[in-house]
Amino acid sequence: MVGIGMQIVYLGCSATAALEAEAAMQLMRLQPFGASLSDCHLAIEALRLRSGKPLYDVRLDLVTAAHELKPIGRHAAESAEEAVRRAFDAAERTLRTEASALAPRR
């Protein structure tokens, strides 16, 4: 069985080992939905605020097994790792809601 693939794009920032590890760990949370997903696209963008504080904007799109794009949305935080966690939290909630809606009623 092949797992869900992930493509990561960095905008205005560079990949770090910690950020790559966080994204890989979060991807593991989606593995129970692997039958309905083939891939995900993660974009991590560093925004420069006037205050000088960093802000990271993360966008996550899921690609279904039927090759349809399912945008999860944008999530922002002061750390890239936290923004990634928020995006995958939303993805997991979305997938669980969809799975429960498709479950047979008794």
Side-chain angles (χ1 to χ4, degrees):
M1 180 176 155
V2 176
I4 302 166
M6 179 166 55
Q7 298 174 18
I8 305 175
V9 174
Y10 298 92
L11 305 164
C13 61
S14 299
T16 65
L19 188 50
E20 294 273 334
E22 184 65 40
M25 252 182 13
Q26 295 302 319
L27 180 63
M28 295 299 295
R29 295 170 53 190
L30 303 186
Q31 293 305 321
F33 306 98
S36 63
L37 298 175
S38 65
D39 202 14
C40 70
H41 302 156
L42 182 65
I44 302 169
E45 182 175 9
L47 304 174
R48 307 288 180 236
L49 300 180
R50 288 184 187 182
S51 67
K53 288 186 176 182
L55 182 69
Y56 293 89
D57 180 62
V58 169
R59 291 173 302 283
L60 178 63
D61 296 324
L62 304 178
V63 181
T64 68
H67 304 290
E68 296 171 342
L69 191 66
K70 182 185 301 251
I72 295 301
R74 300 172 75 142
H75 302 274
E78 289 182 7
S79 87
E81 291 84 354
E82 178 60 27
V84 167
R85 280 191 292 276
R86 290 178 184 180
F88 278 90
D89 286 346
E92 187 175 20
R93 275 193 310 274
T94 297
L95 293 168
R96 286 195 189 286
T97 300
E98 289 174 357
S100 67
L102 295 175
R105 306 262 183 225
R106 292 184 182 199

